[in-house]
Amino acid sequence: MKNTIVFILFSLFMLCDSYSQDLVDDISTGGIIGDEAQIFTEQVRIISHSKKIFILTNTNQQLNKGDFITLIVNDKDAACRAIVAKNHDSLVGIKILKIYSLANWSKIRKGKDVKILKGDDTILFTKKNEDKSEEQEDKIKSEEDLYAEELAINNELNGDFESDKRLIKPDNIVSAAYGQIRFTSSINDNKEYAGHLISGGWAYQFQDNFWLEGLISYASIKDYPTVTNQTVVNPLTARIKYTLKAPFYSYLMPYVGFQVNNVDSPAATEQDQKNEIQQKLAGTEVAIGVTILKRLVPGWFAKADIGTDMINIGAAVEF
């Protein structure tokens, strides 16, 4: 009985050892991550203004959401590391995570074909010569801060990239603000009236530092033109603005445009009331002024408009 148990245990040990050896052999003979079979060519279609988001073709259908990839120029030189953020039809959106070389990075531009290495990219760096020339050492020293966020945003690069002179990088700013409409009524014993003016706006940066902005506003004036009645004013404003840098993380945006004031006043039945409303509240006027933006935290601003169309304060967010 004892000999039988020993024999069974010895057989199991030999079987496990043989199986483990086969498993090690299988792993050792498997494919190498990052081999040339995983390098393929795609084209850069779009580069965002921040130079952090690229749109690439996916003609090889090898890129999927979540893939880590390396962009290669000159068939062998690593430029940057990225992750695939979105896959749609034959295009993918990638986000740049790391820049390996400014010189190689500057060669990537819209419409250019680039090599893509999917997965592990250590194979690209295993054959580097440890004895670098003085020129290479100087270059490495100049690239120590490549991973700083400010460099990626401001795009302080030389090469074929188009110059990005934007003071505010994103394309869009949405805002909300509060102001007042004030006027004196000549038909009601020169009484002064005021209405709370609530505004919402959307500005789009169609060219570096040039913005097209639209605003919708609402104001309700109580007890006008008669007691217990109200007059509603809906100003619609369109502006063209330009960004100027100011101290203390602020921006000045001079603007010019026009404003159309739509008025609803059912209680205005007398002709003198209608004439005053048309003169003081309704109609179209030129809008000239300046918007002041003060950065509070990344992405958020305190906002003020000072102009012929309105004076208000509020908040804005960029995206």
Side-chain angles (χ1 to χ4, degrees):
M1 182 66 178
K2 182 177 180 181
N3 292 336
T4 302
I5 294 174
V6 171
F7 176 75
I8 292 173
L9 291 175
F10 178 76
S11 299
L12 289 174
F13 173 79
M14 293 302 294
L15 180 61
C16 292
D17 182 68
S18 175
Y19 179 79
S20 300
Q21 184 64 42
D22 291 341
L23 181 61
V24 171
D25 291 341
D26 289 342
I27 294 175
S28 300
T29 58
I32 299 174
I33 296 177
D35 59 13
E36 291 192 3
Q38 290 182 288
I39 298 179
F40 49 93
T41 302
E42 298 293 351
Q43 185 182 84
V44 179
R45 287 291 183 85
I46 298 173
I47 300 176
S48 70
H49 289 288
S50 67
K51 305 300 186 292
K52 296 177 68 177
I53 304 297
F54 286 17
I55 304 297
L56 307 179
T57 59
N58 192 19
T59 54
N60 293 279
Q61 294 298 310
Q62 296 196 47
L63 297 176
N64 299 291
K65 185 176 180 179
D67 288 342
F68 286 90
I69 62 174
T70 302
L71 274 61
I72 303 171
V73 297
N74 299 331
D75 295 327
K76 61 179 180 178
D77 299 324
C80 59
R81 186 75 166 157
I83 186 172
V84 178
K86 189 171 184 179
N87 186 351
H88 181 68
D89 294 336
S90 60
L91 299 175
V92 293
I94 68 171
K95 182 177 181 180
I96 305 303
L97 302 176
K98 182 190 299 184
I99 300 174
Y100 291 126
S101 167
L102 274 178
N104 296 334
W105 166 261
S106 65
K107 295 175 183 177
I108 302 176
R109 61 184 183 276
K110 181 179 177 181
K112 182 179 178 64
D113 290 337
V114 294
K115 297 287 186 180
I116 305 293
L117 173 61
K118 182 178 176 181
D120 188 9
D121 62 353
T122 55
I123 191 174
L124 298 174
F125 306 99
T126 56
K127 296 183 180 180
K128 285 188 175 180
N129 190 344
E130 295 181 359
D131 298 326
K132 296 179 175 60
S133 65
E134 181 179 354
E135 179 181 356
Q136 288 176 317
E137 291 177 356
D138 291 341
K139 180 181 177 182
I140 292 174
K141 290 179 182 179
S142 67
E143 294 178 0
E144 287 178 351
D145 59 348
L146 284 182
Y147 310 136
E149 183 74 8
E150 194 65 23
L151 179 61
I153 293 178
N154 290 334
N155 185 38
E156 297 174 354
L157 305 176
N158 295 321
D160 296 326
F161 279 132
E162 59 181 285
S163 175
D164 186 359
K165 300 178 181 178
R166 294 187 172 199
L167 297 177
I168 299 175
K169 302 301 178 182
D171 291 332
N172 301 277
I173 294 179
V174 293
S175 62
Y178 168 81
Q180 287 189 337
I181 291 180
R182 289 183 172 273
F183 67 97
T184 301
S185 173
S186 58
I187 62 174
N188 290 332
D189 300 326
N190 292 324
K191 182 178 179 180
E192 185 173 309
Y193 289 90
H196 301 294
L197 181 68
I198 306 299
S199 301
W202 176 26
Y204 175 72
Q205 190 168 196
F206 63 92
Q207 190 174 339
D208 289 356
N209 299 318
F210 283 94
W211 300 78
L212 182 62
E213 183 182 41
L215 297 97
I216 299 177
S217 306
Y218 173 87
S220 177
I221 305 170
K222 295 182 178 181
D223 297 329
Y224 180 81
T226 58
V227 178
T228 71
N229 291 294
Q230 68 175 2
T231 296
V232 174
V233 184
N234 290 117
L236 301 177
T237 310
R239 304 165 171 171
I240 294 179
K241 312 169 78 169
Y242 184 76
T243 311
L244 299 172
K245 194 170 184 178
F248 307 110
Y249 305 102
S250 301
Y251 302 94
L252 299 178
M253 305 177 75
Y255 64 79
V256 62
F258 65 91
Q259 179 172 280
V260 178
N261 297 309
N262 300 306
V263 180
D264 181 18
S265 183
T269 57
E270 303 294 332
Q271 188 61 43
D272 57 349
Q273 296 173 343
K274 295 179 180 180
N275 290 340
E276 182 175 90
I277 289 174
Q278 186 65 34
Q279 179 183 2
K280 295 184 178 294
L281 300 176
T284 301
E285 59 181 325
V286 176
I288 300 175
V290 62
T291 296
I292 303 172
L293 293 179
K294 171 69 171 68
R295 189 175 293 280
L296 301 175
V297 294
W300 285 86
F301 301 94
K303 173 181 180 287
D305 288 318
I306 303 174
T308 59
D309 50 338
M310 63 182 68
I311 298 177
N312 59 27
I313 58 173
V317 59
E318 62 183 3
F319 64 96

